[in-house]
Structure formats: structure tokens, C-alpha cells
Amino acid sequence: LSQRGPPLTVSRVLIANRGEIAVRIIRACQGLGIETVLAASEADRDSLPARIAGRTVCIGAASTTESYLNIKAIVAAALGTGSDAVHPGYGFLAESPELAEACAAQGITFVGPRPEQIREMGNKLKARALARQYGLPILPGSEKVHSYAEAAKVAERIGLPVMMKAAAGGGGRGMKIVTDYKDMQQMFGSASAEARAAFGDDTLYLERYIPNARHIEVQVLGDRFGNVIHLGERDCSLQRRHQKLVEESPAPAITEALREQIRQ
């Protein structure tokens, strides 16, 4: 939970999401004896989550920008229903520091990281800087590159192949692999345009690209009391356009010693 201070009692949660995500949250809350309020768009008023939630409030039109991405409507719905907390699920506003801040301003618990944590980890350049600060290994790369000519100089320093990456991005958007210097200008223009369209931010940086690597990650959960656990590792190597398709856990094809080393 994002707030600090004395223990909080959460008795009613507003769920600002839809579909399977909302269903999972509702069932988890029911198992904990927590009341649920579903914040639904007009299109989702008769959905499965709406049928199983304790209460449903309409927060806007079918368009996500007028409903699930509308911070003011979500906070107003939480206040209007007497909800102690807002659970954003994932996607939509789950990684929005603005929603977390708006909840804190109204004394509502945001189920997720603190705003400053979201900002630090949501931007890849900031996340790389944070990793360096704590002595964690990172791939050779760059700070923000302002032009394809600057990108070419960085690529010469760290060696091809490189990947251009959107600093503000995720989901495989704004990412281009460069294996030949003659493609640098085209790739830079394409990646920056895609990043601007997807995230409203065309900031790019370069990172050494490792072909045929295994993508293994560990998810970590921590609370405001200092308790931290991991949820095991998973292999996310099967991807299309840098977007994960299948995540397998426990990760195959690694030794038990390496598995434990990664988790630790």
C-alpha cells in the first residue's frame, strides 16, 4: 500500500478496471471480507465484474479516456461511495503517479507503489540511473540521444547490435534493433515517432542488444512495513515484436543453483 503511517483498515475498495482483471480483484477482496465497488464505463455496466461486485458505479462513457483513464471521475467515485482504497488493477492508470497522488490528496489508499516509485521505475533512463546508484549490473548503454548522429556515436562506443528504446515506453513500443550503421537514421526516426504516438514522449536511448538471450524475471512485492517477498522467477523469452506472449514459471532450462541466485 502506498501510504505510510499507522496501520490502515481497508473495508471498501473501488476497482478502477474491467474484465478478468476486475474479476480477480473482486474475488480476492471477497475472500478477505472487503466490500467491493466497481468503477465501470457505460459499456461495462452489465459485465461479469458488474454482476459480482458489491456495487457498481458508472464513471463515464465507453471511451477509456472518458472512464478508466479519467482520474477525476475515479477519485470522485471513490469519495462518493465511501471507499477506503482504489485498486487500479494493471494497465490503464496502474502506473500513473498522478492517480496515486490524487488518491493521497483525498486520504484514499492507492493499492500500488508510491508516486515517486512509479516515476522512478516508469522511465527507463531513471530506472537505469537508480540501478547504477545501488550497484546493480546494467547493459552498456547511453543517456538520452538527441539525434541519429549522436546515436551512431554511442553505437560505435558500445558496439553493434544496439537497441533504440523509448525511455517512457513499454509493451514493445518505440523499440528498434540496429545491426548496421546505415540504418541508424531510419530507425531513429521510426522509433521516436512511435514513442511520441504511444507515450507522448519521444525520448530515446541506446542499449547493447543481446541476441538469443533468455528473458528471465522475478516479481517482487513490498509493503509499507518493510516486508518484501518475491513471487518466483518466470521465463518470458517467447515474444513477438518485443512483447511477451507466454510467461512460464518456474523457468525451464536453468539450473537450480542459478534459479536460487536469480531469486536472491
Side-chain angles (χ1 to χ4, degrees):
L1 299 181
S2 63
Q3 295 186 357
R4 296 168 174 164
L8 297 175
T9 299
V10 174
S11 58
R12 183 177 299 151
V13 174
L14 181 93
I15 300 158
N17 216 301
R18 63 185 178 186
E20 179 196 2
I21 302 164
V23 169
R24 286 172 179 245
I25 298 168
I26 292 167
R27 287 176 174 164
C29 288
Q30 289 171 342
L32 295 169
I34 297 173
E35 296 178 23
T36 56
V37 179
L38 180 71
S41 73
E42 290 180 357
D44 297 318
R45 296 172 79 169
D46 297 320
S47 63
L48 175 59
R51 293 198 296 273
I52 67 174
R55 178 179 174 186
T56 298
V57 292
C58 183
I59 55 169
S63 168
T64 57
T65 56
E66 298 179 56
S67 52
Y68 300 108
L69 294 174
N70 188 331
I71 292 175
K72 289 183 178 179
I74 290 168
V75 173
L79 292 171
T81 57
S83 298
D84 311 300
V86 168
H87 196 316
Y90 60 86
F92 291 137
L93 293 172
E95 297 178 45
S96 165
E98 290 79 17
L99 176 59
E101 288 170 340
C103 288
Q106 297 295 333
I108 300 168
T109 298
F110 177 77
V111 183
R114 295 192 296 274
E116 60 268 27
Q117 294 171 326
I118 299 175
R119 283 198 170 92
E120 285 178 336
M121 297 309 295
N123 183 289
K124 292 188 175 72
L125 284 174
K126 290 182 180 179
R128 281 174 60 87
L130 196 65
R132 284 195 299 269
Q133 178 183 333
Y134 286 98
L136 301 175
I138 58 175
L139 288 170
S142 72
E143 299 301 316
K144 177 179 179 178
V145 288
H146 299 83
S147 66
Y148 74 88
E150 183 180 351
K153 289 181 180 179
V154 172
E156 288 178 6
R157 173 172 58 82
I158 64 179
L160 293 176
V162 296
M163 179 177 278
M164 289 184 182
K165 302 179 79 171
R173 306 297 299 276
M175 300 171 69
K176 301 292 179 183
I177 300 170
V178 181
T179 59
D180 194 314
Y181 290 109
K182 67 179 175 58
D183 300 326
M184 192 68 69
Q185 183 173 2
Q186 177 191 347
M187 293 294 194
F188 185 89
S190 177
S192 59
E194 189 173 290
R196 184 165 51 250
F199 313 114
D201 184 347
D202 61 3
T203 299
L204 299 179
Y205 71 101
L206 264 64
E207 202 169 68
R208 182 68 187 272
Y209 176 67
I210 303 178
N212 201 31
R214 300 206 71 81
H215 179 138
I216 297 176
E217 60 185 49
V218 178
Q219 281 200 322
V220 177
L221 290 179
D223 66 17
R224 65 196 183 92
F225 304 106
N227 302 305
V228 181
I229 62 170
H230 71 72
L231 303 180
E233 86 295 333
R234 54 194 184 183
D235 189 312
C236 313
S237 304
L238 187 57
Q239 302 182 9
R240 179 176 182 266
R241 296 177 180 172
H242 317 300
Q243 176 66 53
K244 303 164 192 170
L245 296 178
V246 174
E247 302 180 20
E248 185 176 355
S249 183
I254 60 173
T255 65
E256 288 304 312
L258 181 57
R259 187 188 317 280
E260 184 59 24
Q261 184 181 353
I262 292 171
R263 289 177 170 186
Q264 291 302 321

